[in-house]
Amino acid sequence: MKLLSGLIGEIGGVVNTLSVSSKEKKRIEAELLQAVNKHEEELNRSRAAIIRSETQGNWLQRSWRPVVMLVFAVIVLAGTFWELPILADTSRFWDLLEIGIGGYVIGRSAEKITGRWKGGRS
């Protein structure tokens, strides 16, 4: 938007340097601004189309991390009521859980950061 507002200011400056009547200057400036607004709307529509196409993945693609973490939570919760060998102190489950939580947090943070760099929301 800052780029477009600067462009509109430049258009006004160029139109003011023309050696035509003020009525003609206003007409030219209005036509140029209309063309800029039209292209801005097209740009916004194409951005929205890109965002929609990126979110078109199936349910499993969009939510595999929360599902995995919920499964881990169910296992830990079940372990509080029943003796589960997977939750023994010597089990590698805790290492897997630690990697999962770290990957989930770091992965989601990276998605948010790259979303902000690209100018989108996350």
Side-chain angles (χ1 to χ4, degrees):
M1 286 305 202
K2 187 176 181 180
L3 176 67
L4 287 177
S5 64
L7 179 63
I8 291 171
E10 291 292 323
I11 288 172
V14 170
V15 169
N16 287 333
T17 62
L18 297 175
S19 56
V20 293
S21 69
S22 65
K23 187 177 183 179
E24 189 67 20
K25 285 180 184 180
K26 288 181 182 180
R27 185 189 64 77
I28 292 170
E29 187 174 0
E31 287 177 7
L32 289 173
L33 290 176
Q34 185 179 14
V36 167
N37 287 336
K38 177 184 167 192
H39 289 290
E40 181 184 12
E41 289 172 8
E42 289 175 9
L43 180 64
N44 288 337
R45 280 194 299 271
S46 67
R47 284 181 182 166
I50 289 171
I51 290 170
R52 278 192 303 273
S53 68
E54 288 177 349
T55 60
Q56 289 299 317
N58 67 25
W59 177 83
L60 187 59
Q61 288 174 322
R62 290 189 307 270
S63 56
W64 67 270
R65 285 181 298 201
V67 169
V68 169
M69 296 312 292
L70 284 172
V71 168
F72 285 167
V74 167
I75 291 171
V76 171
L77 184 64
T80 60
F81 298 108
W82 299 286
E83 185 69 30
L84 297 177
I86 195 170
L87 297 178
D89 289 338
T90 58
S91 173
R92 303 281 300 187
F93 173 79
W94 298 110
D95 295 335
L96 182 62
L97 182 63
E98 186 177 329
I99 292 169
I101 290 174
Y104 184 83
V105 170
I106 291 170
R108 185 65 185 133
S109 298
E111 284 178 355
K112 286 185 176 217
I113 290 169
T114 57
R116 288 188 186 128
W117 281 344
K118 291 180 183 177
R121 295 186 313 180
S122 51

